Amino acid sequence: MGRGSRRYADVAAEILARPARLGTVRLVAVDGPTGSGKTTFAGRLAAALRTAGARVAVVHTDDLLDGWGDLITFWPRLAEWILNPLRRGATGAYRRYDWAGGGGFEARWRPVPVPDVLILEGVSAGRVTIRAELTWLAWVWAPPDLRLDRVLTRDGADIRAELLAWMGAEAEHFAEDRPAEHADVLVDGASHQAAPEAGSGLLGGLSGWTTFDTLRHDPRDTPDRGRGGRKP
């Protein structure tokens, strides 16, 4: 297909026209490697959905991780605290991991009332375990060097060793789970750089990228999240 441009309002309308598959909830996954722009994309999509009249909840998988080594194994916590209750039509709740305070989950439970749309944002959000219950899946990509620079600039150079190990682990996960091949949209999170060419093998020979810049409301906004000195 080559590159195209889409508006957030159009994507929101597409999602709301599709059926709910997690009980009465339309579950939207925003997946992709760290630093690619997932949080920014998810926030802008949530705003468009709310403008369209939908009740929207956004959950970031970073909030559910028990530290750097929990990239994949956090999922039972997500299921128990949020997905299973919402599937039954009940309010979910979760405790955020305290990245800034040195680790451990905060005492306060944050409620997740049953929404029209739940946006699950983070690495492995679109994994095969949940794919049958997804209404819509976005894959957000940017080159590794750019992603590394973004995260270190945001969170500080002292996390470099942990971050490099994380990037290696997520690459292994994506190679096995292959969420990009099942995505409804492929978002170029670095539109000033070339996305992988079809047939490159990096993403299974995919094409049809949506340029990230064309989906921006305000080029100045940036995600206020991270695993360094600021709270995620």
Side-chain angles (χ1 to χ4, degrees):
M1 283 190 297
R3 294 188 182 217
S5 60
R6 304 179 69 184
R7 297 186 305 144
Y8 279 99
D10 298 333
V11 174
E14 178 182 330
I15 290 168
L16 294 175
R18 294 188 179 190
R21 296 195 174 104
L22 185 78
T24 63
V25 177
R26 292 169 177 83
L27 179 58
V28 171
V30 179
D31 205 342
T34 191
S36 58
K38 299 183 301 300
T39 302
T40 301
F41 180 86
R44 293 169 181 158
L45 179 57
L49 286 161
R50 291 182 181 118
T51 298
R55 295 168 299 159
V56 182
V58 180
V59 171
H60 305 280
T61 62
D62 276 2
D63 289 341
L64 302 173
L65 305 181
D66 190 6
W68 285 96
D70 201 21
L71 185 151
I72 303 300
T73 49
F74 74 90
W75 199 265
R77 194 176 302 120
L78 168 66
E80 178 185 353
W81 289 355
I82 300 172
L83 299 181
N84 291 347
L86 294 183
R87 194 181 285 114
R88 299 192 304 267
T91 295
Y94 68 98
R95 293 184 296 147
R96 282 176 56 171
Y97 186 79
D98 187 3
W99 291 97
F105 289 94
E106 61 184 20
R108 180 165 71 96
W109 287 89
R110 299 170 182 265
V112 184
V114 180
D116 297 316
V117 181
L118 171 63
I119 298 177
L120 182 63
E121 178 276 323
V123 175
S124 84
R127 66 175 66 187
V128 67
T129 305
I130 197 64
R131 217 164 277 159
E133 293 182 285
L134 292 179
T135 292
W136 200 80
L137 169 59
W139 170 264
V140 185
W141 182 90
D145 289 347
L146 175 61
R147 294 190 285 106
L148 179 64
D149 182 66
R150 281 177 176 174
V151 178
L152 293 179
T153 298
R154 181 187 68 191
D155 298 340
D158 57 330
I159 67 167
R160 184 181 182 88
E162 292 91 342
L163 179 59
L164 289 173
W166 171 282
M167 292 176 74
E170 70 181 8
E172 292 179 4
H173 165 73
F174 292 139
E176 179 178 349
D177 197 79
R178 309 186 79 80
E181 296 181 7
H182 301 271
D184 294 283
V185 65
L186 306 173
V187 181
D188 176 11
S191 55
H192 62 286
Q193 299 192 30
E197 294 298 327
S200 68
L202 181 59
L203 297 176
L206 296 171
S207 60
W209 291 83
T210 292
T211 304
F212 188 63
D213 277 345
T214 64
L215 291 171
R216 291 182 177 233
H217 291 312
D218 183 346
R220 297 169 299 177
D221 77 351
T222 55
D224 184 19
R225 301 181 58 76
R227 305 186 192 95
R230 289 200 301 257
K231 286 187 177 180

